[in-house]
Amino acid sequence: MNRLLFCLLFFVCTGFYMSAQEDHIQIPDSLKTQPFDTLQKKFYYYEFKDVQITEKYAEAMLWLAHKNEDASQIHKAEYCTARIASALGDKATAERFIKQALAHSRAENDSVYILKNIFLRGKIHADFGEYLEATPYYVQAKDLVKNDPDQTRFHIISHSIALIKNQVNDVRNAIEISKKNLRFFETKDETAFYPLTINSLILLGSAYTKLAIKHLNKPELHRVYIDSSMIYIEDGMKIAEKYGDKEAKVMLAGSKGLNFYELGDFKACLEILKIAEQQSIEQELMRELPMTYLYQGKSYYSLQQYNKAILHLEKAYEASKELKIDFPNLQETLFLLAKSYSEVGDTKKAIQYYDLFYDKDKENEQMANITSKTLYEKYDIPSFENQIRKLKNESKRIGNKYTYTKYIAWSLLVAFISILFFYIKRQYQYKKRFEKLLVHINTLEQQKEISKATPAQKETNRKKPKIADEKVAEILKNLEKFERKELFLSNKCTLTYVAKKVNTNSTYFSIILQEHKKKKFVQYLSDLRIEYVLKRLKNDPVFRSYDIKSIAQEVGFNTAESFSKAFKKRTGIYPSFFIKSLDKLNDS
């Protein structure tokens, strides 16, 4: 297909005509006369100096590329447009143009821009907090350059992957990757590779702080990780000072402030973060502000200066909304706002922010092992939840202060009787379910091995790929081995992980599970774990003495909440009731 035909097809498919674009976007006349290569050079020159000027060059490139009907210029201009749109926070435009750029660069078989577009598509997702969506593109880009003699691009992409791992609290891997990158960058020309070196130092400082936070209950280890963070921060400060990098100094100062907070030196934390806040505003580094405000708020909260804590926590919340980013510490911000308002006696605001926290907590249920778990360990959330519940009841009572006392008394009496009746009925139901569970467990124990799945009737759904009977038998045999070895107790069990264990892909494995086990993967994994925990609780008194959280972790659940929910769904009773009933049975 020649270039003219390619351009004509592009116009028809997208409705992007020259006249329409010129009417919609005003291109300065001075730019219309410049060659495409000159516009491109100016784009990169101004990109990190003035985004408004850079945007005009991107618009001019796109206008000229369509005017010239040059397919190569078109996909290059689309790439630049996507870059600047992402920098300006225009996610929709960035995604639209990067998809077009990738498709057109592939049509042109331009390997350089195919790599650039794949990497940029991942970066756009990452810039807007969509870390899981960004990762496959980074991995794909990394695979394209892994055999390059010069490993520079490989380590640049690795740095982006490390950033994501640090964001989602896969801290140890982030540190491992960043150390390798740093060693590579330090062997190169210092001036040319300064941006990559300083970014690696910033990332290592942040990652070690996160690792320290994970070990709050081990003071010596906590201090070791903070000290490691400080080493990288100080190294970064020296090199940033040498190159006059104000942005890096602000970011490193913020990390240093976080470390002071973790060491309990709240005054030092506030002192350095106030300076970092001022410099962030002066240099328009708005993405640094949510964390800066949050840790100022946390410091004031720790100093019991709750009004000041509220002021800065509100700023953190508003800044994250204004930037439209998925602020990783948003849950903590909302929870501390609720706590702070509760401390100053503002019941309405305390309830408001607790409800926002609760909604976010539910939204992040699938990410519990990343964010929620840390929060539940750090703060006594269930206790505060009870306090909020009481505040809500109190507010409701005050709101109905004109209700007759007699009506309230009768309502309370009816409520008490209903609760009592419900409680007795529920206890009876739980007891019956417990007895049925014991029979079920005895049946399980009598089985010498996990029964094999019986082949299901073949369905006539043409959309499902046909799997050879020999392959099905092999997968089922491997699955039986997987169950017998109790590999399902690992918290690393994902659909892809188990599919690899049984020597197949996730698509085939899902089909076989549904046809032969009559279950989707999540239900299948949950049922295996619950069956295991039922038998072990019945026969192992030491295991019964564990708290719910420890039992949950022992059998592969990330949180006590997710374990209790799965146990209740499978058995009809809560694990705590089951354990108490077993203990009573043994005592009798």
Side-chain angles (χ1 to χ4, degrees):
M1 180 184 294
N2 61 43
R3 292 193 174 190
L4 177 58
L5 181 56
F6 173 83
C7 290
L8 289 173
L9 285 174
F10 175 73
F11 294 153
V12 172
C13 293
T14 63
F16 199 103
Y17 292 93
M18 276 290 302
S19 60
Q21 181 178 339
E22 188 168 5
D23 290 340
H24 179 65
I25 298 174
Q26 295 298 318
I27 309 296
D29 292 336
S30 59
L31 299 185
K32 290 182 179 180
T33 59
Q34 295 187 24
F36 185 88
D37 289 345
T38 301
L39 294 172
Q40 190 175 28
K41 287 178 183 177
K42 291 288 183 70
F43 173 90
Y44 289 116
Y45 176 78
Y46 283 106
E47 185 175 14
F48 299 107
K49 296 181 179 181
D50 191 314
V51 290
Q52 278 74 33
I53 294 176
T54 309
E55 185 180 23
K56 286 298 176 187
Y57 278 105
E59 291 169 356
M61 288 169 64
L62 198 59
W63 177 86
L64 183 60
H66 286 291
K67 179 183 177 184
N68 294 340
E69 297 182 348
D70 188 318
S72 177
Q73 290 181 359
I74 287 172
H75 77 72
K76 290 174 184 177
E78 288 170 339
Y79 168 79
C80 291
T81 303
R83 266 180 86 133
I84 192 62
S86 181
L88 290 167
D90 187 350
K91 182 171 179 283
T93 300
E95 286 188 331
R96 176 161 61 90
F97 276 99
I98 195 59
K99 287 177 183 176
Q100 293 175 188
L102 183 54
H104 297 151
S105 61
R106 282 174 170 159
E108 284 290 294
N109 199 25
D110 188 332
S111 59
V112 173
Y113 271 86
I114 289 171
L115 174 63
K116 284 185 174 185
N117 287 319
I118 290 171
F119 179 77
L120 180 57
R121 191 162 186 187
K123 186 177 182 301
I124 290 168
H125 282 300
D127 285 346
F128 291 92
E130 298 171 352
Y131 305 119
L132 296 178
E133 291 84 351
T135 302
Y137 293 105
Y138 282 155
V139 172
Q140 190 179 349
K142 189 178 176 182
D143 286 342
L144 289 174
V145 299
K146 64 183 179 183
N147 295 322
D148 277 6
D150 180 3
Q151 288 286 285
T152 300
R153 292 188 298 180
F154 177 87
H155 285 282
I156 290 172
I157 298 168
S158 293
H159 175 73
S160 296
I161 293 172
L163 281 171
I164 287 181
K165 289 186 177 294
N166 188 45
Q167 283 289 351
V168 300
N169 278 2
D170 185 2
V171 184
R172 292 189 183 277
N173 276 326
I175 290 172
E176 182 182 351
I177 295 169
S178 295
K179 283 184 175 179
K180 289 179 183 177
N181 292 338
L182 183 60
R183 285 194 293 270
F184 176 82
F185 297 145
E186 287 178 339
T187 64
K188 302 294 182 179
D189 177 69
E190 182 183 275
T191 303
F193 279 77
Y194 163 75
L196 299 168
T197 303
I198 193 67
N199 282 334
S200 295
L201 290 168
I202 291 170
L203 177 53
L204 283 164
S206 168
Y208 269 112
T209 300
K210 289 188 175 184
L211 201 56
I213 293 170
K214 284 187 172 184
H215 292 83
L216 280 170
N217 57 341
K218 296 179 180 178
E220 291 185 7
L221 200 54
H222 177 264
R223 182 64 198 233
V224 167
Y225 289 136
I226 290 293
D227 289 344
S228 297
S229 174
M230 286 296 201
I231 288 171
Y232 287 108
I233 289 171
E234 292 302 328
D235 288 348
M237 284 287 193
K238 289 175 186 176
I239 189 173
E241 184 68 36
K242 178 179 177 180
Y243 286 92
D245 190 341
K246 294 181 180 179
E247 181 177 349
K249 287 168 71 175
V250 169
M251 296 173 72
L252 289 163
S255 294
K256 195 171 185 179
L258 268 59
N259 283 340
F260 280 127
Y261 173 85
E262 291 302 324
L263 293 172
D265 191 345
F266 305 122
K267 291 184 179 178
C269 172
L270 287 167
E271 184 178 336
I272 195 168
L273 288 184
K274 284 177 182 175
I275 297 171
E277 176 193 345
Q278 182 181 351
Q279 292 176 343
S280 296
I281 294 171
E282 288 174 356
Q283 297 176 47
E284 297 184 350
L285 303 174
M286 299 309 173
R287 286 180 174 266
E288 302 302 313
L289 288 175
M291 284 295 285
T292 304
Y293 288 138
L294 169 61
Y295 271 83
Q296 287 183 77
K298 288 173 69 172
S299 295
Y300 282 121
Y301 181 86
S302 299
L303 293 169
Q304 298 183 357
Q305 298 180 29
Y306 300 115
N307 285 316
K308 289 184 177 181
I310 288 169
L311 175 65
H312 289 84
L313 292 168
E314 290 271 19
K315 286 183 177 181
Y317 179 48
E318 291 302 321
S320 68
K321 286 201 300 182
E322 193 172 316
L323 290 168
K324 297 179 181 178
I325 58 172
D326 189 5
F327 180 34
N329 296 76
L330 180 56
Q331 279 180 262
E332 187 175 15
T333 304
L334 295 169
F335 183 77
L336 283 175
L337 273 166
K339 291 274 284 183
S340 298
Y341 274 115
S342 177
E343 292 289 349
V344 299
D346 191 334
T347 300
K348 185 177 179 181
K349 285 283 189 180
I351 293 172
Q352 175 189 333
Y353 280 106
Y354 178 80
D355 286 343
L356 287 171
F357 159 77
Y358 183 79
D359 291 342
K360 190 67 178 174
D361 196 43
K362 289 299 179 186
E363 180 184 325
N364 286 349
E365 191 171 348
Q366 298 301 317
M367 301 286 282
N369 60 323
I370 296 172
T371 304
S372 300
K373 184 177 178 182
T374 304
L375 281 178
Y376 275 85
E377 288 175 351
K378 190 171 184 180
Y379 301 108
D380 186 8
I381 289 179
S383 175
F384 186 65
E385 192 175 47
N386 290 332
Q387 184 180 340
I388 287 292
R389 192 177 294 113
K390 291 177 182 177
L391 288 174
K392 286 183 175 180
N393 290 337
E394 181 67 15
S395 297
K396 187 176 180 180
R397 187 184 67 81
I398 293 171
N400 296 326
K401 62 182 178 179
Y402 296 110
T403 305
Y404 293 104
T405 305
K406 185 176 179 180
Y407 173 78
I408 295 174
W410 275 106
S411 298
L412 290 173
L413 180 60
V414 170
F416 173 76
I417 293 171
S418 299
I419 291 169
L420 183 61
F421 174 78
F422 174 77
Y423 175 79
I424 294 170
K425 182 180 178 182
R426 189 181 65 175
Q427 292 298 105
Y428 176 79
Q429 290 173 338
Y430 280 6
K431 184 179 179 182
K432 290 296 181 184
R433 289 170 186 170
F434 172 75
E435 291 170 354
K436 287 182 180 180
L437 273 178
L438 290 181
V439 174
H440 177 64
I441 294 169
N442 288 334
T443 304
L444 289 174
E445 290 173 339
Q446 289 170 8
Q447 294 175 352
K448 294 182 178 179
E449 60 179 12
I450 298 173
S451 59
K452 298 178 181 178
T454 57
Q457 292 183 351
K458 293 183 179 179
E459 296 178 8
T460 58
N461 188 347
R462 294 183 180 178
K463 292 184 180 179
K464 293 182 179 178
K466 187 176 180 180
I467 310 172
D469 292 341
E470 295 83 2
K471 184 63 177 177
V472 172
E474 178 195 344
I475 293 170
L476 289 174
K477 185 177 180 181
N478 291 337
L479 188 59
E480 180 188 350
K481 188 185 298 183
F482 169 84
E483 295 175 358
R484 189 169 60 250
K485 289 184 176 181
E486 298 177 347
L487 299 179
F488 53 80
L489 298 179
S490 169
N491 61 5
K492 294 180 181 178
C493 278
T494 62
L495 177 62
T496 304
Y497 174 87
V498 180
K500 286 182 180 178
K501 285 289 182 184
V502 300
N503 196 26
T504 187
N505 58 53
S506 56
T507 301
Y508 278 19
F509 183 54
S510 294
I511 293 169
I512 289 172
L513 269 184
Q514 292 190 44
E515 290 185 353
H516 294 273
K517 295 287 187 179
K518 302 300 182 184
K519 297 175 184 177
K520 291 186 178 179
F521 174 75
V522 174
Q523 186 61 50
Y524 164 74
L525 184 65
S526 179
D527 285 351
L528 283 177
R529 289 171 173 173
I530 298 304
E531 294 283 355
Y532 169 88
V533 82
L534 285 170
K535 289 186 285 186
R536 188 168 173 190
L537 284 172
K538 177 179 176 289
N539 298 303
D540 189 348
V542 175
F543 189 58
R544 284 202 302 273
S545 68
Y546 291 2
D547 59 33
I548 299 299
K549 179 182 173 183
S550 300
I551 293 173
Q553 291 175 342
E554 187 83 0
V555 298
F557 288 90
N558 288 316
T559 65
E561 292 76 18
S562 60
F563 167 63
S564 295
K565 186 177 179 181
F567 192 101
K568 175 68 163 56
K569 183 178 179 181
R570 178 72 175 81
T571 66
I573 62 177
Y574 288 100
S576 55
F577 181 88
F578 182 70
I579 292 169
K580 288 177 183 177
S581 298
L582 284 172
D583 288 336
K584 286 180 183 178
L585 188 65
N586 289 331
D587 289 342
S588 63

